């Protein structure tokens, strides 16, 4: 038997780390460095145009947002948007997944059709709906006026309708995402618990509530987390459909950060806002994770 | 012999190197970013010709307005020299020139540039900052009052109007006359189907898509301004601005439904399909109502000065071409701009649909005066005499480095007025305070 020298043994032990080194360096460059840089930015009064005039303000940018009415408005709008869009998408996605998991005729075609909105770029979706919903030339208002004989609202410029309209478009585009994840989850569930319950005389909704949904918890958690994070940073739809208007009714946090960063060039403050947004998202996700995974453990 | 051939070989290598270097050095490549509008397309086409004439290649990228603004900021922040030339909305000039990111072109100006031929306000407003010249104007398009000639000449309408208002129906010259006209035509059913299909007027009114631009024309015509230029205090709460804003808000009732969503495109579209009797719109856009393929009002629109209250002072829209301070070929970049905006090319750009001319001589050029809308006898550039007149009284957006931010703040409160969420006084009060805060943060008012 040939003995390996201790030095070679150590080298062998280190080998996996050498292989890991390139991705670690890569990640450090594209993730860690920008994060540290943006944290540095957040501590400065840093205008992109007048770089020479940057000034260290410490937590000044973070304190500034306490009295910034536009920031609080954008937080409120973002929470409303994310909560409503995600929950509606979840319920619709679940419903569609339950239907699509049945072996019905034409279900394959329906599944394919349902995925189409998700494949379109959000900016294109925004522009498309902007034209469809146009108060004068939009085909939707045309049908409402001529067939339902009612005067439709100005979807994108009415203070009460603009945000629900954006949520509707988000639901249109992203319900398929919820659907595809939940469908995959449902199809991977073991059949025997529901079959056993069926034999015991359980009704469909009882099987759904007591068996399918509890078993689906991990999948639901992933789907909700992904959609929540995504809808929380909505930007494209706001940009292409309302630009934060009417007034500030659709001014989401991402849109506000974009304005501060790329219109006011106030990069220090924009970086501080981004960090706050990141913090909110992390707290929100960890809470959601706790609530859902607690249920899984109780099972 | 061996030594001789070695020497000969070295000389040959040297000659080749010098020749190659000189050829390489002569081949200048300029990179520019232009707006993806018709004047950007015109510049792109002419750049090909420029390369044939001079050997200087000019690559022109066409992108949207927001994208140009972002790109400018990022390029300048990193002091990058990838782009030599930028097509800019003039309200960005104070910001970028003020921070030293643009190259002053004063040193390159020669009599051949013929500066005196440029429309004075175009040159002054869109290219000068701090007494220095940073570029040349490419297109101007001040607000004009658009009106449907056929409606104003209709005998039935004329009689009805006279009976109702006590004076002749005519293109309005005062704000009150315009209100009467807008009210008179608004909500009419011209095709007899029982539904209104004609409205008084239209203009950009969407938040962030130009409601500020429309409102500014009202403010200027009412004798107001948005800053006290001595103290730099915002003046949104002065009686003139309040009166103008009230008038503008009141006038909105005579607009088509959905006016609060109106951007540039909707106004031109409404004019082309004959849904409005008058419009407050940019001069250049009138090609859309004269497009034989899409317009149902071909040749029916005429143009006049914006109605006056105190004066007729339309708000100006214009784009200029500037040179980056970090360009490696600033002189070559200037030469291209100078060529692009010479007398002949100013006319050619106009004929290519590029935008309204920036040189005084172009307004009397026979090629422009004689041009007709394709397949018709309608003078294609009949708006230009009015543009020339408007360029004497036109006024810019507030020329401050924080203009974009100013516009965003004001736009939001104008939107609140439009939608009845705030009174004029209340909204202007808040907007004024917000603008003041913005200016204070930017370092104004320091003792």
């Amino acid at each position: 038997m040939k003995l390996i020298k201790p030095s070679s043994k150590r080298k062998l032990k280190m080998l996996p780390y050498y292989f890991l080194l390139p991705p670690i360096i890569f990640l450090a460059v594209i993730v860690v460095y920008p994060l540290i840089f943006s944290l540095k930015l957040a501590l400065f009064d840093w205008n992109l145009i007048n770089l020479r005039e940057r000034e260290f303000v410490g937590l000044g940018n973070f304190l500034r947002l306490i009295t910034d009415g536009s920031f609080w408005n954008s937080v409120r709008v973002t929470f409303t948007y994310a909560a409503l869009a995600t929950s509606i998408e979840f319920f619709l996605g679940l419903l569609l997944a339950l239907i699509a998991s049945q072996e019905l005729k034409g279900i394959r075609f329906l599944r394919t059709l349902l995925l189409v909105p998700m494949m379109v770029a959000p900016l294109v979706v925004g522009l498309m709906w902007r034209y469809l919903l146009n108060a004068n030339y939009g085909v939707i208002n045309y049908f409402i006026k001529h067939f339902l004989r009612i005067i439709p609202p100005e979807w994108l410029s009415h203070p009460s309708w603009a945000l629900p309209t954006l949520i509707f478009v988000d639901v249109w585009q992203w319900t398929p995402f919820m659907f595809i994840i939940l469908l995959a989850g449902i199809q991977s569930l073991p059949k025997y618990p529901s079959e056993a319950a069926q034999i015991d005389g359980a009704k469909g909704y009882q099987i759904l509530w007591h068996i399918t949904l509890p078993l689906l918890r991990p999948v639901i958690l992933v789907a909700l987390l992904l959609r929540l994070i995504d809808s929380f940073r909505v930007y494209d739809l706001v940009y292409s459909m309302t630009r934060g208007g009417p007034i500030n009714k659709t001014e989401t946090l991402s849109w506000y950060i974009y304005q501060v960063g790329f219109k006011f060039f106030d990069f220090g403050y924009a970086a501080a806002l981004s960090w706050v947004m990141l913090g909110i998202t992390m707290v929100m996700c960890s809470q959601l994770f706790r609530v859902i995974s607690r249920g899984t453990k109780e099972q | 012999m061996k030594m001789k051939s070695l020497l000969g070989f070295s000389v040959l290598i040297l000659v080749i190197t010098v020749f190659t270097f000189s050829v390489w050095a002569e081949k200048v490549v300029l990179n520019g970013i232009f707006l993806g509008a018709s004047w950007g397309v015109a510049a792109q086409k002419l750049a090909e010709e420029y390369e044939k004439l001079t050997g200087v290649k000019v690559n022109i990228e066409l992108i949207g307005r927001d994208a140009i603004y972002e790109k400018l900021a990022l390029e300048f922040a990193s002091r990058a020299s990838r782009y030599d030339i930028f097509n800019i909305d003039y309200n960005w000039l104070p910001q970028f020139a003020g921070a030293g990111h643009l190259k002053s072109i004063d040193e390159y100006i020669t009599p051949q540039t013929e500066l005196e031929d440029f429309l004075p306000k175009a040159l002054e407003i869109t290219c000068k900052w701090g007494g220095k010249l940073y570029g040349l104007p490419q297109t101007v398009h001040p607000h004009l009052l658009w009106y449907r000639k056929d409606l104003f000449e209709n005998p039935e309408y004329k009689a009805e109007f006279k009976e109702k208002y006590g004076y002749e129906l005519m293109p309005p010259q005062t704000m009150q006359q315009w209100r009467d006209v807008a009210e008179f035509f608004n909500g009419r059913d011209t095709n007899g189907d029982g539904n209104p299909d004609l409205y008084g007027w239209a203009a950009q009114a969407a938040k962030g898509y130009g409601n500020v631009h429309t409102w500014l024309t009202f403010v200027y015509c009412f004798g107001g301004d948005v800053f006290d230029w001595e103290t730099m205090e915002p003046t949104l709460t002065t009686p003139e601005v309040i009166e103008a804003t009230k008038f503008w808000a009141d006038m909105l009732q005579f607009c088509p439904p959905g006016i609060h969503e109106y951007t540039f495109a909707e106004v031109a579209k409404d004019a082309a399909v004959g849904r409005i009797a008058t419009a407050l719109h940019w001069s250049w856009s009138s090609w859309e109502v004269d497009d034989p393929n899409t317009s149902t009002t071909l040749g029916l629109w005429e143009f006049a000065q914006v109605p006056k209250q105190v004066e007729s002072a339309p708000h100006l829209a214009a784009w200029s071409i500037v040179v980056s301070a970090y360009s490696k070929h600033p002189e070559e970049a200037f030469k291209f701009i100078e060529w692009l905006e010479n007398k002949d090319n100013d006319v050619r750009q106009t004929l290519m649909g590029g935008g309204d001319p920036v040189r005084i001589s172009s307004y009397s050029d026979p090629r422009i005066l004689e041009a007709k809308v394709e397949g018709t006898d309608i003078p294609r550039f009949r708006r230009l005499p009015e543009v020339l007149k408007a360029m004497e009284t036109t006024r810019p957006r507030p020329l401050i480095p924080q203009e974009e931010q100013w516009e965003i703040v004001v736009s939001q409160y104008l939107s609140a007025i439009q939608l009845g969420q705030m009174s004029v006084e209340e909204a202007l009060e808040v907007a004024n305070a917000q603008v003041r805060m913005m200016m204070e943060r930017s370092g104004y008012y320091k003792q």
Side-chain angles (χ1 to χ4, degrees), chain B residues 105-106 136 212 216 248 258 311-312 349 367 382 440:
Chain B
I105 59 164
D106 284 323
L136 295 177
V212 177
L216 269 178
W248 160 76
E311 58 179 326
S312 172
Q349 285 188 64
R367 288 172 288 176
R382 60 191 183 283
E440 196 173 6

Side-chain angles (χ1 to χ4, degrees), chain A residues 112-288:
Chain A
T112 316
L113 195 71
L114 273 170
L115 296 181
V116 173
M118 206 173 73
M119 295 170 191
V120 187
L123 199 66
V124 178
V125 168
L127 287 173
M128 184 183 84
W129 279 100
R130 186 176 164 79
Y131 289 116
L132 286 172
L133 293 164
N134 185 291
N136 292 315
Y137 300 106
V139 72
I140 291 173
N141 277 17
Y142 175 84
F143 279 111
I144 294 175
K145 256 188 264 179
H146 287 84
F147 294 106
L148 301 179
R149 302 261 166 212
I150 51 172
I151 307 278
E154 291 164 16
W155 303 104
L156 298 174
S157 61
H158 193 286
S160 312
W161 280 104
L163 189 61
T165 306
L166 280 192
I167 293 171
F168 164 78
V169 176
D170 195 293
V171 168
W172 177 84
Q173 185 171 27
W174 293 112
T175 298
F177 175 80
M178 219 37 124
F179 159 74
I180 199 164
I181 290 187
L182 294 173
L183 180 66
I186 291 170
Q187 286 178 339
S188 64
L189 291 181
K191 292 245 184 320
Y192 62 88
S194 30
E195 282 169 0
Q198 226 167 1
I199 293 165
D200 288 344
K203 293 193 172 65
Y205 68 88
Q206 288 172 318
I207 295 173
L208 173 70
W209 188 252
H210 295 289
I211 295 171
T212 313
L213 285 181
L215 287 175
L216 265 184
R217 266 179 204 269
V219 180
I220 291 173
L221 176 68
V222 170
L224 283 178
L225 273 180
L226 289 177
R227 269 315 297 147
L228 198 65
I229 293 168
D230 212 29
S231 59
F232 201 76
R233 56 191 176 90
V234 61
Y235 166 78
D236 319 60
L237 286 186
V238 180
Y239 178 80
S240 53
M241 293 179 77
T242 59
R243 300 220 162 188
I247 316 168
N248 55 3
K249 300 289 179 186
T250 60
E251 200 167 275
T252 59
L253 202 42
S254 294
W255 174 254
Y256 183 56
I257 293 171
Y258 162 76
Q259 299 240 76
V260 172
F262 284 98
K263 289 286 179 185
F264 309 169
F265 295 141
D266 194 348
F267 262 50
Y269 190 44
L273 286 168
S274 305
W275 273 93
V276 170
M277 186 174 166
L278 180 69
I280 295 173
T281 314
M282 284 170 75
V283 170
M284 203 171 62
C285 291
S286 65
Q287 287 304 312
L288 185 72

